[in-house]
Structure formats: C-alpha cells, structure tokens
Amino acid sequence: MMATVRLSFSPAPVHVRTARLVGVAVARRAGVREDLLDEVRLAIGEACTRAVALHRQYGLPDPVLVEMSDGGSYAVRVVDRAPIEASIGLAALPPDELANESLTDEALTTGVGFALLAGFVEDLQVRPVDEGVGTEVRMVWPVGR
C-alpha cells in the first residue's frame, strides 16, 4: 500500500527546514538507503527554497505544496504557483548572465537551483502545473525493500 504525506506551507524560508525534516523521515520509512538520505535532505531543501524564493519574488501568498509518496520508489513533488516563465526562465540563462549583479538573490536562487538539483537527484523532472501558473519539481529515489 502506497503512503502519501502532503505538506503545504506559507512561502517563508523558516518552513523549508520542516519540509526537509519530514522529507527525510518519510524517506527513511519508505526504505531509502541511509547513504542517500543526505541527498534527499539537500534536494528537498533546494526545491523548497526555490519555490519559496519564487513566491516571495512575485509576492504570492499561496502555499508551497510538497507531496511525498513511497510506492515502488520514493517520490517527492514540490509545487510553486509562480508564472511558468519565471519558474523556468532563469535555468536557461548562460553562466555569464547568471553572474549579472542586477539579478536579485532570490531570482538567482531559482535559476541556479535546477543545476544543484540535477547534481543531487538522478531522476529529476520539472514541468508546468497549470495553464501558465506553477511548476512541479518531481524527484525520485530508489527504495530497498
């Protein structure tokens, strides 16, 4: 039987730590290998930080959504409600433009976040959620049952 844990939190950086703690606890219960738990913690933290930064950048009060499930693998979805072009646009910028000092720290975090996530997670998907509003970051790790 697949168990699912859902969190929603206001877009404040202080709540990212809670999402990481819950994410690692669910991963451990799901059977993710101990040596992967640091990756899980870092990836969930990065995805949630990215979502919070987007919400704050665009003044969105909507909650950040996190869903963790432990079917045949451990899957985590982090959903933001920022405009699609904002969510994925910075990831496509070349490094020299990412170094531009006129970009805000929050904007830089959202773009660089994809590069960091790709380093932590082998099975990573980023896709739009709704018509022009919101992005889902989906991360999957193997479980050893």
Side-chain angles (χ1 to χ4, degrees):
M1 180 175 174
M2 182 173 85
T4 301
V5 174
R6 289 182 183 89
L7 299 173
S8 64
F9 58 89
S10 59
V14 69
H15 300 306
V16 172
R17 181 172 189 258
T18 302
R20 283 194 317 248
L21 290 170
V22 171
V24 169
V26 175
R28 186 172 278 124
R29 188 190 73 204
V32 173
R33 291 187 341 245
E34 280 294 318
D35 61 322
L36 293 177
L37 293 179
D38 276 342
E39 288 179 21
V40 170
R41 180 180 54 77
L42 292 169
I44 291 172
E46 188 60 41
C48 289
T49 297
R50 180 192 156 280
V52 167
L54 283 166
H55 280 230
R56 292 171 61 97
Q57 181 180 354
Y58 287 89
L60 303 172
D62 307 53
V64 172
L65 305 174
V66 182
E67 183 177 277
M68 302 159 235
S69 57
D70 68 351
S73 57
Y74 177 59
V76 178
R77 295 175 60 234
V78 178
V79 179
D80 68 71
R81 301 304 296 167
I84 298 291
E85 60 276 4
S87 298
I88 61 178
L90 286 173
L93 287 178
D96 58 327
E97 287 187 43
L98 283 174
N100 182 344
E101 291 181 23
S102 67
L103 291 173
T104 66
D105 287 341
E106 289 176 338
L108 197 55
T109 298
T110 61
V112 174
F114 288 127
L116 292 173
L117 282 170
F120 298 140
V121 185
E122 286 184 36
D123 189 351
L124 172 69
Q125 298 172 1
V126 180
R127 57 183 167 226
V129 177
D130 291 325
E131 302 136 13
V133 181
T135 305
E136 171 189 285
V137 175
R138 186 173 186 273
M139 306 168 285
V140 180
W141 291 271
V143 294
R145 291 198 177 130

